[in-house]
Amino acid sequence: MRILLIEDDPKAAANLRAGLEPEGHQVTVAPDGRDGLLSAAAGGFDVLIIDRMLPLLDGLTLLRTLRGASIHTPALFLTAMGGLDDRLEGLRAGGDDYLVKPFAFEELSARLIALNRRSAAPPKRTKLKIADLELDRLSRTVQRAGRKIELKPKEFELLEYLLLHQGEVVTRTMLLEDVWGFHFVPQTVIVEAHISRLRGKIDHGFVPPLIHTYRGAGYKIDVA
Amino acid sequence: MWRERPSRTLLKTSGFRLALRSLALSLGGAILVFLIIHRDADTIWREQNDIAVQAAMSDLLSDIQEDNQNVAQNVRDTMDEGGGLFFADFAPDGSFRAGNFNVTPAVLASWHGTRNFEREDGLTLPPRVLAVRGVAHRFGNGEVIIIAANASPLLTLNALVARSFAAVFGTILALGLLSGYFSARTASRRVDGYAIAINEIMDGDLTRRLAVGRAGDEFDRLATGLNAMLQRLQELMENLRQVTNDISHDLRSPLARLREHLELSRRRFAGAELTSMFDEALAQIDQALEIFTAMLRIAEVEAGARRRNFADLPISEILDGLAEAYEPAFSAAGIGLTVDVPAGLVLRGDKELLQQMLANLLDNVTLHAGATQARIQAAQVGRRISIEIADNGAGIPAAQRGRVFQRFVRLDASRHLPGHGLGLSLAAAIAALHGGGIELQDNHPGLKAVISLGAK
């Protein structure tokens, strides 16, 4: 993935590059807002990572300018600004995702992959399949190996989200935000408990297991 | 919000009460002036009248003494001389002998000295003469002569004074009430305007100012002063926000670099022992960051600016959503969760914050209560919404229940559990932002958190 990182702190930029490049991404760094805007406008990037507090041009204005010029490269704000209204401001300015520093690399990586895939997503499919599991988004039914599986509404949405991201790791916070609409992390293991229930329904008694746990990172639905 | 609505009762406005007081004063003054005019006019007319009547009586009596004619003849002669006075002569038996007016025996008997009588009292008078004032002279033989003057002008004068008084009184009353009403309405409109502006400021719009008119009156001076204060407050709040942002940024950025560094090092150096060391260090950083985030969030909530984003929220759906999200975790922890929330409850608030408040209280049940049963209840009570989260666990001793809302307070029993002692502080701050509060009660056994929030 070609990533444009707009970040004025050289150490932070170096760390990010060191964290992302081993995962096969090409990282270009823009050290200030104006440089970032010019590079982003020139195109050729799959994803933009934008800090909010930037010299010469702040991140919000930068992205608003890009969106105003019909440049829709997926953008993620990576910023120390974590106030209640800050995320909303970032999304309103045209951001596709918002991650507050400090962050875990697994979290950033999972979100970048999701962003990149979202922009390249095929037209809406009504049936999501993996191995012998099939989810019908219209009739809201699930079956595995021809057997119908009863799911509660949230379990259905959770499975749907995992299937839309099949082969990718989705993190606990991504699930909290996107499936439950929670923009905070509860102390209770909500996601784990739901995954465990879902597993009991779609993996128990079937081969191979489809839901995989990545300790400290999240979950992935995949054949292997 | 618990706020008094601006009162619309006219009598309760100070402007109208002031107007009423000055109106009463003006009316009192008018009454005094009219009383004086009435009394003086009356007195002056009486004095002149009495002098004229007395003089006529003296003349008549001296005539009677000089010419030795009978009284009736003298009365007739004097009457012919004119002078506009009324004369009457009555024989000792009360019969009318001479004169140009007559009185009933009752009036005659009661007429001693100077008296006033009206036509209605039993007087026979020419038309247009309504009353007379005069003296009676009683001779030794019981004969009586009465000389009186026309008192109609006095009545007319009194009626005129009374009419003018009524007119002036009525005009002052009407104008006073009207001007009182208008000045009170103007004043209370301005005060209502201020109240609306102040409510908006309390709701978080710190840029709002009070309207200042061009008159430069006391309201304008008050508004100007308050606006200066609001300007200062806004600047202070902005400074505070700036400082908070700076601290947040300046603390988060190095923490972020440290975290990145630790993660990169964990990747680079293999070995189970090192990995677990890095994991432990990362967990510590995340814990510090959680505390930091929670503190900033509490400060942000307490500043109240969030109120400007309030919307009508379907709180029943939010509660159902939370119950659904928590149910598997409750079940995994061996806690049965019952939900008793009627559909359609609505309140004005911030969804994200209310979710966080409720989640913090539910977290306390799963982490600290040691319960086997929990219950989420909600009900509309008048203009408020009451939400109860109850469990049958260990509970909190009554003496400690207030303390747990304080920041960083963790009860001994839960020190070894995850958490930072800010969850209930944040929950309480969020409830306060929504014009309510959280009360912890004994659930016999267990704990019951009762949240009261302003309804829509």
Side-chain angles (χ1 to χ4, degrees):
Chain A
M1 207 189 297
R2 292 157 301 165
I3 299 170
L4 174 63
L5 171 64
I6 310 171
E7 166 69 75
D8 60 317
D9 178 351
K11 275 191 198 163
N15 281 345
L16 274 164
R17 188 197 287 274
L20 292 171
E21 278 181 347
E23 292 179 21
H25 305 305
Q26 299 165 33
V27 180
T28 308
V29 178
D32 62 59
R34 205 158 52 194
D35 193 353
L37 179 64
L38 292 174
S39 304
F45 296 101
D46 298 313
V47 169
L48 310 175
I49 300 177
I50 310 172
D51 189 7
R52 275 190 61 173
M53 295 198 217
L54 289 167
L56 301 180
L57 187 67
D58 74 274
L60 283 186
T61 316
L62 186 159
L63 189 58
R64 249 187 241 120
T65 314
L66 278 180
R67 295 298 187 239
S70 296
I71 293 170
H72 296 290
T73 315
L76 176 141
F77 278 109
L78 186 60
T79 167
M81 291 177 71
L84 281 166
D85 294 328
D86 294 335
R87 186 177 51 83
L88 218 61
E89 277 173 7
L91 299 185
R92 280 204 192 114
D96 299 284
D97 204 350
Y98 198 96
L99 189 59
V100 179
K101 287 181 188 174
F103 56 92
F105 273 119
E106 287 94 348
E107 184 73 44
L108 176 65
S109 187
R111 282 171 187 259
L112 289 175
I113 288 166
L115 272 187
N116 184 42
R117 189 199 36 75
R118 205 192 297 168
S119 72
K124 275 211 165 185
R125 288 165 296 164
T126 57
K127 285 189 179 169
L128 304 173
K129 285 181 198 171
I130 186 165
D132 51 356
L133 176 78
E134 186 179 289
L135 177 144
D136 189 325
R137 299 171 84 184
L138 289 180
S139 62
R140 291 184 76 83
T141 52
V142 175
Q143 51 182 17
R144 183 157 188 195
R147 243 186 293 162
K148 198 162 183 276
I149 297 172
E150 293 293 338
L151 291 184
K152 290 188 175 167
K154 273 293 162 206
E155 291 164 354
F156 182 89
E157 284 173 44
L158 180 58
L159 180 61
E160 186 182 23
Y161 189 84
L162 289 171
L163 284 170
L164 284 168
H165 293 81
Q166 59 179 277
E168 300 165 10
V169 174
V170 293
T171 64
R172 207 155 55 102
T173 43
M174 283 166 78
L175 290 170
L176 282 170
E177 284 176 17
D178 297 338
V179 178
W180 282 277
F182 293 168
H183 295 281
F184 54 90
V185 180
Q187 302 269 328
T188 307
V189 286
I190 291 178
V191 178
E192 292 79 345
H194 275 272
I195 290 280
S196 157
R197 281 244 177 118
L198 184 60
R199 238 186 210 139
K201 291 184 180 178
I202 66 157
D203 274 349
H204 187 76
F206 296 100
V207 181
L210 295 173
I211 299 176
H212 307 275
T213 303
Y214 289 79
R215 203 180 139 263
Y219 304 93
K220 180 161 85 171
I221 198 160
D222 212 341
V223 189
Chain B
M1 296 301 94
W2 284 316
R3 279 181 205 145
E4 296 257 338
R5 284 183 64 79
S7 174
R8 301 274 163 206
T9 317
L10 202 56
L11 274 175
K12 275 190 177 172
T13 61
S14 63
F16 191 69
R17 277 187 294 192
L18 190 69
L20 279 190
R21 271 202 292 279
S22 62
L23 179 61
L25 219 60
S26 318
L27 290 179
I31 290 172
L32 202 64
V33 167
F34 277 104
L35 280 179
I36 290 168
I37 290 173
H38 172 73
R39 206 197 55 187
D40 286 0
D42 207 63
T43 313
I44 289 165
W45 187 89
R46 271 165 209 258
E47 278 169 3
Q48 287 179 346
N49 182 83
D50 292 354
I51 287 166
V53 170
Q54 287 292 351
M57 183 61 87
S58 309
D59 285 353
L60 184 58
L61 290 176
S62 60
D63 285 353
I64 292 167
Q65 208 123 46
E66 277 167 26
D67 59 16
N68 275 325
Q69 287 191 8
N70 67 40
V71 177
Q73 189 53 49
N74 267 298
V75 167
R76 272 193 286 277
D77 291 347
T78 314
M79 223 164 56
D80 291 343
E81 286 166 19
L85 293 174
F86 294 99
F87 298 86
D89 174 22
F90 296 93
D93 62 356
S95 60
F96 181 76
R97 273 192 178 152
N100 52 4
F101 85 116
N102 199 352
V103 303
T104 57
V107 172
L108 179 62
S110 63
W111 202 316
H112 294 279
T114 309
R115 288 291 304 268
N116 276 17
F117 282 102
E118 289 182 19
R119 182 197 288 270
E120 287 75 29
D121 295 330
L123 273 57
T124 313
L125 290 165
R128 280 194 295 280
V129 180
L130 304 171
V132 293
R133 176 177 172 84
V135 292
H137 181 82
R138 293 172 190 275
F139 293 96
N141 62 357
E143 194 166 355
V144 184
I145 49 172
I146 297 172
I147 302 178
N150 186 357
S152 306
L154 186 64
L155 281 187
T156 317
L157 184 69
N158 279 342
L160 189 73
V161 168
R163 264 207 311 278
S164 342
F165 177 73
V168 170
F169 191 92
T171 310
I172 292 178
L173 189 69
L175 285 179
L177 283 176
L178 215 62
S179 88
Y181 170 72
F182 280 112
S183 68
R185 203 176 60 158
T186 313
S188 64
R189 270 189 185 169
R190 297 185 73 172
V191 172
D192 286 355
Y194 293 169
I196 290 167
I198 287 167
N199 281 349
E200 284 182 20
I201 293 162
M202 276 168 61
D203 284 349
D205 182 5
L206 284 173
T207 58
R208 187 87 159 75
R209 292 292 176 269
L210 307 184
V212 181
R214 255 174 266 158
D217 59 14
E218 64 272 34
F219 280 106
D220 292 335
R221 292 206 306 276
L222 179 70
T224 309
L226 284 172
N227 281 345
M229 184 187 82
L230 288 170
Q231 182 64 34
R232 181 96 185 97
L233 262 177
Q234 190 194 347
E235 284 164 12
L236 285 173
M237 291 297 288
E238 266 161 23
N239 281 350
L240 191 68
R241 211 175 100 81
Q242 192 55 48
V243 168
T244 314
N245 278 345
D246 289 351
I247 292 176
S248 162
H249 185 261
D250 290 354
L251 208 69
R252 275 175 193 276
S253 298
L255 270 174
R257 284 198 299 265
L258 176 59
R259 204 186 186 290
E260 288 154 14
H261 188 71
L262 283 168
E263 273 201 78
L264 291 172
S265 305
R266 183 180 59 177
R267 281 189 200 177
R268 199 184 311 158
F269 302 105
E273 212 172 315
L274 271 177
T275 303
S276 83
M277 262 177 63
F278 283 129
D279 283 346
E280 175 61 20
L282 285 169
Q284 296 289 343
I285 283 193
D286 289 344
Q287 160 91 353
L289 203 81
E290 247 175 61
I291 294 176
F292 182 59
T293 306
M295 284 183 70
L296 282 177
R297 177 79 29 123
I298 291 173
E300 219 178 341
V301 169
E302 284 179 347
R306 192 72 179 167
R307 262 193 215 117
R308 92 195 112 162
N309 300 335
F310 272 17
D312 290 342
L313 301 176
I315 190 70
S316 299
E317 285 173 34
I318 291 174
L319 280 165
D320 287 341
L322 273 156
E324 199 182 10
Y326 272 80
E327 192 274 321
F330 268 77
S331 160
I335 308 170
L337 180 64
T338 22
V339 183
D340 181 9
V341 177
L345 296 183
V346 175
L347 62 75
R348 250 194 114 58
D350 181 301
K351 184 177 176 185
E352 196 175 326
L353 287 177
L354 285 174
Q355 280 180 331
Q356 177 142 33
M357 174 188 78
L358 295 163
N360 285 1
L361 292 167
L362 291 170
D363 286 343
N364 279 347
V365 177
T366 58
L367 297 176
H368 304 301
T372 57
Q373 286 296 324
R375 186 182 182 85
I376 302 175
Q377 262 181 301
Q380 174 131 16
V381 185
R383 289 183 52 78
R384 306 193 66 71
I385 292 204
S386 169
I387 301 169
E388 289 182 13
I389 295 176
D391 65 68
N392 65 348
I396 298 177
Q400 310 241 44
R401 273 181 220 142
R403 220 164 65 85
V404 293
F405 287 108
Q406 291 167 20
R407 288 170 205 189
F408 297 113
V409 168
R410 303 189 65 194
L411 300 181
D412 292 337
S414 65
R415 286 202 185 278
H416 61 283
L417 294 167
H420 39 56
L422 289 170
L424 274 177
S425 311
L426 179 57
I430 293 172
L433 181 79
H434 289 80
I438 303 177
E439 202 187 321
L440 297 181
Q441 297 172 359
D442 199 333
N443 196 38
H444 308 286
L447 189 70
K448 181 159 74 173
V450 182
I451 310 148
S452 167
L453 302 169
K456 189 188 161 184

